[in-house]
Amino acid sequence: MLTPILRQAPIRSMVRMFAIASAGMVAAACGSSPTGTYFGATDPIFDRHSRTMADAEASMFEATSTNGDGLFTFGGDTVIAARLLPIFRDTAWVVEKDISEWDAIDVPVVTSDYHSLVREAMYLRLDAMQKGVIALEALTTGNGAGEPLADAESAMAKANVILQKALDESDRIRG
């Protein structure tokens, strides 16, 4: 029997929202200025964070593409939820590390808006992963129908909107 969370297949739309392309994150030649030093320190963290989210998306797709057609499905039993759970847990752990490293950066005034926006997006992504863990744990342990993944989807959507603002701010600063 399909639980309501599985019938709605919300994970499908959540995965679509996972990665924001970081093509706009090409480092500008800022020399040894405080801004250049800042981006020299933050770009590797941001790039790793982007790869983490893209890898999580790919892993989720792989875990849910079990019908042989390569189509994305979130099936009618707890097997798929059990496959997704470690992806969500591992991603949350890595995002926590990203946030810790991000918070350790010395922020010049000119980059403070960008820094704050990326930090907020990372926290929203962490929130999405943690909410996903709660929903998937409830589903895999049979403790009710599970928490809806809509909360995780919403957090991810907000994160991506904020991250786009951060990328625009980065372009402005580097421009």
Side-chain angles (χ1 to χ4, degrees):
M1 181 172 134
L2 293 175
T3 63
I5 190 172
L6 294 176
R7 269 189 255 124
Q8 298 300 318
I11 193 74
R12 193 176 315 152
S13 59
M14 185 171 169
V15 168
R16 283 186 219 128
M17 293 186 281
F18 246 80
I20 293 274
S22 60
M25 295 302 295
V26 177
C30 296
S32 62
S33 70
T35 303
T37 301
Y38 167 81
F39 282 114
T42 60
D43 283 350
I45 299 167
F46 184 87
D47 292 344
R48 185 185 63 235
H49 177 74
S50 296
R51 280 190 309 276
T52 295
M53 299 311 290
D55 290 350
E57 178 183 13
S59 295
M60 285 182 202
F61 184 83
E62 184 179 312
T64 57
S65 297
T66 59
N67 65 2
D69 297 337
L71 298 175
F72 190 84
T73 58
F74 191 27
D77 59 39
T78 61
V79 173
I80 299 293
R83 289 181 194 156
L84 291 172
L85 187 55
I87 298 166
F88 275 72
R89 280 186 184 138
D90 292 348
T91 302
W93 183 80
V94 173
V95 172
E96 284 178 335
K97 282 183 54 179
D98 292 342
I99 291 169
S100 176
E101 288 183 33
W102 195 259
D103 286 346
I105 300 294
D106 185 29
V107 183
V109 173
V110 71
T111 61
S112 63
D113 287 344
Y114 165 76
H115 195 84
S116 296
L117 288 167
V118 172
R119 184 177 190 272
E120 183 178 356
M122 285 182 182
Y123 267 105
L124 284 166
R125 284 177 161 183
L126 175 60
D127 186 47
M129 294 299 97
Q130 291 170 334
K131 287 176 178 176
V133 166
I134 292 167
L136 294 167
E137 282 177 342
L139 185 60
T140 58
T141 61
N143 292 330
E147 298 292 320
L149 284 173
D151 291 344
E153 280 183 84
S154 177
M156 191 60 67
K158 288 176 188 173
N160 288 342
V161 168
I162 291 168
L163 195 53
Q164 186 56 56
K165 289 178 186 177
L167 293 174
D168 292 345
E169 180 66 10
S170 172
D171 289 344
R172 185 191 68 73
I173 293 167
R174 295 175 197 243

